[in-house]
Amino acid sequence: MSEMTRRVAIIGMGNVGAAVAHQLIIEGKVDDLVLIDKNENKVRADAIDFEDALTHLPFHVNIIVNDYERLGEMDVIISTLGNMKLIDPQRPDRFAELRHNKEEVAKVSEKIKRSGFKGILVVVTNPCDAICMLYQEGTGLSKERVIGTGTLLDSARLHRSLGKFFKVHPKSVQGYSLGEHGDSQFVAWSNVSVFDRNIYDLSEEMAADLEAIEEETRQGGHTVFFGKHYTNYGISAAVVRLVLIILSDAHEELPVSNYREEYGTYLSYPAIVGRQGIIKQCQLKLTDEELEKLKRSAETILAKANYSE
């Protein structure tokens, strides 16, 4: 990775890709930004629109459009490609995009590989965990260098819900949603705390409330999707946070999708993230019930991924 220049590429300039690009540019977090999309008119329009904003910003960003050869120079590539039209608004399922995205990922992976890219690949494309596996295989990058946003957003939804319940800022909540970035995810309540106290110590009569909060965490994306037929602000904030942690070599613990050897798949589980990608995998003290849920979630990811073949 370059030490002086922060170089990032975004592949897929839909609602999420555009929101990520906007935040990176407005906050001056990158020096070179490559924008790639099959819709030439759309991506060039976005680039001009961003350049029009530069006069009013205290930063400068070099914006490059649809140049796959430049990928080899990048520190981080973000995959936000997808086709939201394939998702049923009444019954949203992230795996609905798998067959389409699988074909696109194969093409993109070959171009990334040809570019000589040696940085970190951040996967947002759904279904995130399965797509991570496809990108890792297709690009030949080490497993540590392919990271999915996974339940980074779902865990933030958990913090939001618990924060509102206890009337505190979401950052006052610690804990994770684990497993699939999808319906089989679960909240590891044994590791959730508020006011530095385990959730179970705060009230003995919260069972029904916790169940409702977990369901809200799981269905949070669907709720937003029902309202505007896409999600972008929450996930873009999560992506930018992850990218900045990589660029700054922060070694921060995050519930990202990373390859867990014991389950044979990518899934969300806390890991230490830095400039080399996954620096270290954490090991939570989970209950037997939670371990069983994690195992079932891993099996769900593998079963759905294999079903598409």
Side-chain angles (χ1 to χ4, degrees):
M1 286 190 179
S2 57
E3 294 181 2
M4 300 298 294
T5 305
R6 301 160 300 173
R7 296 170 175 167
V8 174
I10 300 173
I11 301 177
M13 285 296 291
N15 294 308
V16 175
V20 171
H22 180 259
Q23 188 171 340
L24 288 171
I25 292 169
I26 293 297
E27 296 183 2
K29 300 300 186 183
V30 291
D31 300 298
D32 292 347
L33 182 62
V34 175
L35 306 179
I36 291 178
D37 196 277
K38 292 168 63 176
N39 187 334
E40 187 83 18
N41 291 333
K42 166 65 164 61
V43 68
R44 292 200 177 278
D46 276 335
I48 293 171
D49 213 0
F50 288 137
E51 289 172 342
D52 287 343
L54 294 178
T55 294
H56 303 292
L57 300 177
F59 322 103
H60 179 74
V61 179
N62 299 307
I63 300 173
I64 303 102
V65 174
N66 278 356
D67 189 346
Y68 272 98
E69 292 183 4
R70 295 292 296 273
L71 295 183
E73 306 169 14
M74 297 297 107
D75 299 315
V76 178
I77 294 176
I78 306 165
S79 171
T80 50
L81 64 84
N83 187 347
M84 296 293 289
K85 294 179 181 178
L86 297 174
I87 299 179
D88 182 351
Q90 302 305 313
R91 300 180 63 186
D93 179 4
R94 296 178 180 91
F95 269 86
E97 294 184 84
L98 181 54
R99 290 195 178 186
H100 170 272
N101 290 347
K102 186 176 182 179
E103 294 179 3
E104 294 302 311
V105 165
K107 298 173 188 174
V108 170
S109 292
E110 184 57 35
K111 292 178 180 180
I112 291 175
K113 191 173 184 177
R114 280 206 306 266
S115 76
F117 175 68
K118 302 298 182 185
I120 307 303
L121 177 57
V122 171
V123 178
V124 189
T125 298
N126 278 320
C128 184
D129 309 292
I131 295 296
C132 279
M133 289 190 282
L134 293 175
Y135 264 125
Q136 192 277 318
E137 293 167 359
T139 62
L141 291 167
S142 67
K143 293 181 174 70
E144 294 78 17
R145 289 186 172 273
V146 179
I147 306 173
T149 48
T151 60
L152 190 55
L153 174 57
D154 304 289
S155 296
R157 288 170 175 150
L158 169 66
H159 297 172
R160 167 180 56 79
S161 297
L162 277 174
K164 286 187 175 181
F165 184 88
F166 287 105
K167 296 182 174 57
V168 297
H169 194 282
K171 288 185 177 180
S172 299
V173 180
Q174 291 80 43
Y176 306 113
S177 188
L178 303 179
E180 176 196 9
H181 177 52
D183 292 339
S184 71
Q185 68 177 259
F186 67 97
V187 175
W189 289 113
S190 65
N191 285 259
V192 175
S193 63
V194 184
F195 316 116
D196 289 327
R197 293 179 59 193
N198 183 269
I199 197 73
Y200 292 131
D201 296 332
L202 293 169
S203 173
E204 296 180 355
E205 301 175 353
M206 283 190 63
D209 295 315
L210 296 186
E211 185 175 337
I213 288 170
E214 180 161 7
E215 185 62 16
E216 185 178 349
T217 298
R218 185 181 296 109
Q219 298 298 329
H222 298 336
T223 302
V224 175
F225 189 86
F226 283 138
K228 60 182 189 179
H229 302 300
Y230 61 90
T231 65
N232 60 336
Y233 298 131
I235 185 58
S236 65
V239 172
V240 170
R241 180 188 177 195
L242 175 54
V243 168
L244 297 184
I245 285 170
I246 293 168
L247 291 175
S248 63
D249 198 25
H251 287 218
E252 188 170 335
E253 181 177 310
L254 296 174
V256 290
S257 186
N258 58 111
Y259 188 83
R260 299 289 302 202
E261 197 71 43
E262 67 269 43
Y263 296 108
T265 184
Y266 274 83
L267 53 75
S268 283
Y269 198 100
I272 305 301
V273 180
R275 190 175 292 124
Q276 301 305 315
I278 301 297
I279 305 300
K280 180 182 178 181
Q281 293 182 314
C282 302
Q283 198 64 46
L284 301 175
K285 291 183 178 180
L286 300 176
T287 65
D288 289 343
E289 182 182 2
E290 289 167 346
L291 286 169
E292 181 57 31
K293 287 181 178 179
L294 189 60
K295 179 174 177 289
R296 288 203 302 268
S297 189
E299 290 170 349
T300 297
I301 294 168
L302 289 168
K304 287 182 178 179
N306 291 334
Y307 180 74
S308 73
E309 295 179 352

